[in-house]
Structure formats: structure tokens, C-alpha cells
Amino acid sequence: SFLPVREFQINSLIMSCPNKTSPLDPIPTFLLKKLADIIYIPLSLIVNDSLSSGVFPYALKHAIAIPLLKKPNLDQNYMRKYCPVVSFAHTYRT
């Protein structure tokens, strides 16, 4: 079970985000920060609804995986020359 997120925590998280944006982000980070004072309250309601129901929106379950060479001068045609993809499971405790 998760504790509800408070509105000020959402605002703080938005403002502490780096200004990088993923191609999958529906809103660029700079714009999200400009709108933070307007959207942090409804966003906290959405986050808390997701936490209490245990449902994460399917539309947000996407990622881009970019393979990386172990060293920049290696041949890109050999899969063994790429770093392995590692998945990390995070456990959050309250």
C-alpha cells in the first residue's frame, strides 16, 4: 500500500525535474514547469487515484530502449559488442 501524495510534493517533483524531455513525453519539461502552478492539484488527484486503485494508465507504459556499444570504437554489426539490457526492480517502502 502507498501513502497518498500531497499536492506540494507533486509541485516540488515537477520543479526539480531536469529540463530534458523524452520523445515519449506528451508535454515538454519546460512547458510542464511553466504550468506547474496550474496542474499540480489535478495531477496529484490522478496520481493518488492510480496509487489507491493499483492501476497505472496503459498509455504511460511505454519506453524507448537504445542499445549502447561497450566502447565507441567497436563494430556495430556484432550484438556481443553491446551492453546487456538490465532491468531493475525498485521496492518502495513507507
Side-chain angles (χ1 to χ4, degrees):
S1 69
F2 296 96
L3 294 175
V5 177
R6 296 187 177 184
E7 294 166 352
F8 77 89
Q9 291 172 306
I10 295 291
N11 194 35
S12 177
L13 284 170
I14 292 171
M15 298 312 292
S16 68
C17 286
N19 287 328
K20 298 188 288 183
T21 299
S22 164
L24 295 177
D25 289 342
I27 301 173
T29 305
F30 79 90
L31 183 57
L32 183 67
K33 286 181 173 184
K34 284 185 180 182
L35 299 174
D37 289 339
I38 299 168
I39 65 169
Y40 76 94
I41 293 173
L43 190 56
S44 66
L45 294 172
I46 293 168
V47 169
N48 285 327
D49 186 44
S50 177
L51 292 174
S52 65
S53 68
V55 176
F56 191 80
Y58 181 77
L60 300 178
K61 294 182 182 183
H62 297 282
I64 295 176
I66 300 170
L68 300 173
L69 285 170
K70 292 178 182 177
K71 295 180 182 176
N73 59 343
L74 295 176
D75 189 347
Q76 297 177 5
N77 296 317
Y78 294 101
M79 293 305 292
R80 289 180 283 174
K81 304 298 182 182
Y82 288 90
C83 297
V85 176
V86 180
S87 174
F88 295 97
H90 297 283
T91 305
Y92 297 97
R93 296 194 175 127
T94 58

